[in-house]
Amino acid sequence: NGQPWTVFVREQEQSTDPAMCRAEGAGLEHGVAGELSTFSVFACDSTGKQRTKGGDDFKVYISGPGGVRIVGEVADNGDGTYTAAYAPPVPGDYAVLVYCGNTPIGDSTPWTVHVTEPVKTADASHCKAEGKGTQEGCVGEMSGFTIIACDSDGMQLNRGGDDFKAYISGPAESNVRIIAEIHDNEDGTYTGIYTPTIPGDYSMAVYLGQTAIGDGKPFDIKVTAPLPSFDEDDHSARLARLRAS
């Protein structure tokens, strides 16, 4: 028809240049022993432009203390980015190298990653409470007890910060309800204090968050009435009157 054809010419995407590729993310800065560390790898061409499709052969090699050697897992996201993951087994300093094919990326300098011990958390089933206040008390007098925070291995923690609560119920025929005061000693122990108001059988439940500690059973507490006070002056006066009669 004599009309010219319009032809769209697309710029050919350049191939990946390892020297221009980069990697970034928390997994190249720090980690926790036994936990997964991740970071991102970006495929770039010789101009530094990020590529928009996958297919490159990236590998991750990690060396750590005591001769630890790890080959990381690399997932191709299909858009020029790759997600790398590895799990350091022990604490210490690790060196991470990223390769594209057989060539290290960037300036070939490995990343140094500091890996720490995992933070131990309190396990309600292994925590415990002890002391006189878990067994007995006296009306009008403060009763004390100690809560010990332990991890899943039963080992006492050496730091505070856990949310312990203690709820005390009085004799069945009463409506006595007491919430104990809990003081964090910041060493893995907590001091609990409460004051019973009437004599009888009490029950105390100690919680970590929403979970009862130990085997979940409440503590049975026997609360007694205070002993009658002894007035020495009054006793002496009575004795004198008896002698006079």
Side-chain angles (χ1 to χ4, degrees):
N1 59 9
Q3 296 297 320
W5 282 276
T6 300
V7 179
F8 176 73
V9 178
R10 185 172 55 190
E11 181 182 0
Q12 183 177 2
E13 187 174 18
Q14 296 187 38
S15 60
T16 299
D17 182 348
M20 302 302 291
C21 295
R22 68 184 193 276
E24 58 186 44
L28 293 175
E29 301 169 4
H30 53 78
V32 177
E35 298 183 9
L36 200 66
S37 291
T38 62
F39 60 92
S40 297
V41 180
F42 300 88
C44 300
D45 62 24
S46 59
T47 67
K49 182 180 179 181
Q50 183 179 323
R51 300 195 64 199
T52 58
K53 60 183 179 182
D56 288 304
D57 181 26
F58 285 101
K59 300 183 181 72
V60 176
Y61 301 103
I62 304 103
S63 58
V68 171
R69 296 290 183 271
I70 305 170
V71 177
E73 297 181 4
V74 180
D76 186 344
N77 300 320
D79 59 359
T81 68
Y82 299 76
T83 301
Y86 67 98
V90 295
D93 290 329
Y94 287 71
V96 179
L97 271 170
V98 181
Y99 281 76
C100 181
N102 295 312
T103 306
I105 71 170
D107 62 3
S108 303
T109 302
W111 284 265
T112 299
V113 181
H114 183 63
V115 174
T116 59
E117 289 274 8
V119 176
K120 295 286 188 178
T121 58
D123 183 332
S125 65
H126 286 81
C127 296
K128 53 191 175 183
E130 58 187 33
K132 187 176 180 180
T134 64
Q135 303 172 13
E136 60 186 63
C138 182
V139 172
E141 297 181 8
M142 285 195 303
S143 291
F145 59 94
T146 301
I147 301 170
I148 302 171
C150 298
D151 62 23
S152 58
D153 295 322
M155 299 296 293
Q156 180 179 330
L157 300 179
N158 58 8
R159 51 99 184 134
D162 287 303
D163 181 27
F164 286 101
K165 298 182 179 70
Y167 302 100
I168 301 102
S169 300
E173 65 276 8
S174 74
N175 61 355
V176 172
R177 299 291 184 272
I178 304 170
I179 299 176
E181 295 181 18
I182 306 294
H183 174 73
D184 186 346
N185 300 318
E186 299 183 354
D187 60 0
T189 68
Y190 301 75
T191 299
I193 297 172
Y194 67 95
T195 302
T197 55
I198 61 174
D201 293 326
Y202 283 63
S203 176
M204 180 173 70
V206 181
Y207 285 80
L208 171 60
Q210 303 296 320
T211 307
I213 70 169
D215 60 7
K217 295 180 180 179
F219 295 87
D220 294 324
I221 303 168
K222 183 69 174 179
V223 174
T224 57
L227 294 174
S229 59
F230 179 76
D231 189 327
E232 186 173 350
D233 291 337
D234 183 60
H235 175 72
S236 298
R238 289 181 183 181
L239 185 58
R241 287 197 296 272
L242 287 172
R243 287 174 176 170
S245 62

